[in-house]
Amino acid sequence: MLGWLLIATRLALYLDLGLLFGAPLFGLYALRGDERIHMIRFRSLIAGLAAVGIIATLLGFGLISAAMSGTDLWCIDRNVLTMLLTESALGRALGVWEVSVILIV
């Protein structure tokens, strides 16, 4: 069961981040002059996609941690999470991502 949830979370994350990257670029390259006023409508979409991306990333990290430790999602040990955040490439990437999100916001 955990494997299918991890696959679904990754698929949702890829779709979400693809849309989050593509929606502003669509506004920049497809809309001209006066049409760019309509980009205001995209702001709520972009904010929603960013929120879904943050939630999906954290859920994905939790699922990967549970899969690596061989437990359920609700039974992850805090020491395993700390070790994955500080001593793995995945944790460093998540830390860089978190810092970049904080700097952007």
Side-chain angles (χ1 to χ4, degrees):
M1 163 87 177
L2 192 63
W4 287 106
L5 188 58
L6 182 59
I7 291 169
T9 303
R10 283 195 176 190
L11 177 64
L13 190 58
Y14 286 133
L15 292 174
D16 177 71
L17 295 179
L19 285 171
L20 186 61
F21 182 75
L25 289 179
F26 171 76
L28 281 175
Y29 292 112
L31 302 177
R32 302 283 180 214
D34 295 340
E35 296 173 339
R36 288 193 181 170
I37 293 267
H38 301 293
M39 278 300 293
I40 294 172
R41 295 180 186 164
F42 282 115
R43 286 186 183 178
S44 60
L45 172 70
I46 292 169
L49 288 172
V52 169
I54 290 170
I55 292 168
T57 300
L58 294 176
L59 178 64
F61 183 75
L63 289 170
I64 289 172
S65 302
M68 290 174 122
S69 64
T71 62
D72 288 333
L73 182 60
W74 311 113
C75 301
I76 301 173
D77 189 20
R78 177 174 270 181
N79 294 331
V80 171
L81 285 175
T82 303
M83 186 225 19
L84 285 174
L85 280 172
T86 58
E87 298 178 15
S88 71
L90 179 65
R92 285 190 294 272
L94 190 62
V96 168
W97 175 80
E98 181 179 321
V99 168
S100 65
V101 167
I102 290 171
L103 290 176
I104 290 172
V105 172

